Amino acid sequence: MASDVDTAPLIGRADLLKSVRSALLDDVAQGHTAAVFLTGESGVGKTRLLREVGAQLRDAGALVLTGSCLDIGDASPLHPLLQALRRFDAELSTSHTRTSMAVRALLQMFAEETAGPD
């Protein structure tokens, strides 16, 4: 269920929205990948901004993978990546066998890693 925050227009972030979209789509050559790291204090609108950018990128035909950090002390720093790969793997159909195999190989590689000091 969408909240009022999710459906309200994004105000005062046009320049930042344009910069992030440009870094992830407009300035990226066909077949290449890009990533951004967005930081900021709690409650400043990072998640909302990324939802808006993600929607624009999907509308433009980009593949958008998302994951989120866990706010607990012993959470893996790789949790967002693993979450994104698991979601992507679950969405893949049988027609994407090579991609699915590659995603599962990455997930297996991460699963085999032993926990060590950060």
Side-chain angles (χ1 to χ4, degrees):
M1 181 173 171
S3 71
D4 291 341
V5 173
D6 294 332
T7 58
L10 191 60
I11 306 292
R13 297 292 183 109
D15 290 342
L16 185 55
L17 187 63
K18 183 179 176 183
S19 294
V20 174
R21 179 197 159 95
S22 181
L24 292 174
L25 184 67
D26 301 332
D27 296 341
V28 180
Q30 180 84 18
H32 287 79
T33 60
V36 297
F37 289 91
L38 186 63
T39 64
E41 294 295 320
S42 180
V44 297
K46 299 178 298 294
T47 301
R48 175 69 168 93
L49 176 71
L50 290 177
R51 278 193 194 125
E52 187 73 23
V53 170
Q56 287 187 11
L57 295 176
R58 284 184 190 94
D59 289 347
L63 172 63
V64 178
L65 303 180
T66 59
S68 57
C69 295
L70 293 177
D71 193 18
I72 57 175
D74 61 348
S76 168
L78 294 175
H79 179 78
L81 175 61
L82 292 171
Q83 185 182 47
L85 289 173
R86 287 181 189 124
R87 287 175 179 168
F88 183 49
D89 184 46
E91 292 173 5
L92 287 172
S93 68
T94 56
S95 64
H96 296 93
T97 305
R98 290 185 66 202
T99 303
S100 183
M101 288 173 52
V103 170
R104 289 188 180 135
L106 280 171
L107 288 168
Q108 182 64 34
M109 180 185 69
F110 286 123
E112 292 172 356
E113 290 290 317
T114 58
D118 287 344

